[in-house]
Amino acid sequence: MKLQRHIVVTVLLVVYAFFMTLYFGLDLLKSGQALRFYITLGVETIVIILAFFALRRRDRLRNERRRHSDRQE
């Protein structure tokens, strides 16, 4: 089974967010900026979820167009 683009991009974004949380988030928590840390983490999570659904829709539309053009030929 071929890896789908929306899954690969989502996994890469999650890994990136995880490492950025470890790298910058610990400093934010140590400096007493917990609210900023949690707001940033929440926004990153929302962006990743929205990107997943947008990319999944785009892949589905691309596959439908490809199937439709294959039938036409």
Side-chain angles (χ1 to χ4, degrees):
M1 181 176 144
K2 182 180 174 187
L3 286 177
Q4 296 176 344
R5 186 179 318 176
H6 66 276
I7 294 174
V8 172
V9 171
T10 303
V11 169
L12 290 175
L13 286 174
V14 168
V15 169
Y16 172 77
F18 176 73
F19 284 115
M20 295 309 271
T21 299
L22 290 178
Y23 188 74
F24 291 113
L26 297 178
D27 291 337
L28 286 174
L29 290 174
K30 288 178 186 175
S31 67
Q33 297 181 0
L35 180 63
R36 182 176 172 194
F37 170 76
Y38 290 117
I39 288 173
T40 303
L41 191 61
V43 170
E44 285 178 355
T45 304
I46 291 170
V47 167
I48 290 170
I49 291 169
L50 291 175
F52 171 78
F53 287 114
L55 290 170
R56 184 175 71 169
R57 183 171 188 266
R58 185 175 172 188
D59 285 346
R60 283 182 180 171
L61 290 174
R62 181 177 289 140
N63 289 337
E64 286 176 14
R65 270 188 255 123
R66 199 174 287 149
R67 275 188 248 131
H68 182 69
S69 66
D70 289 343
R71 284 187 230 152
Q72 294 291 329
E73 294 175 0

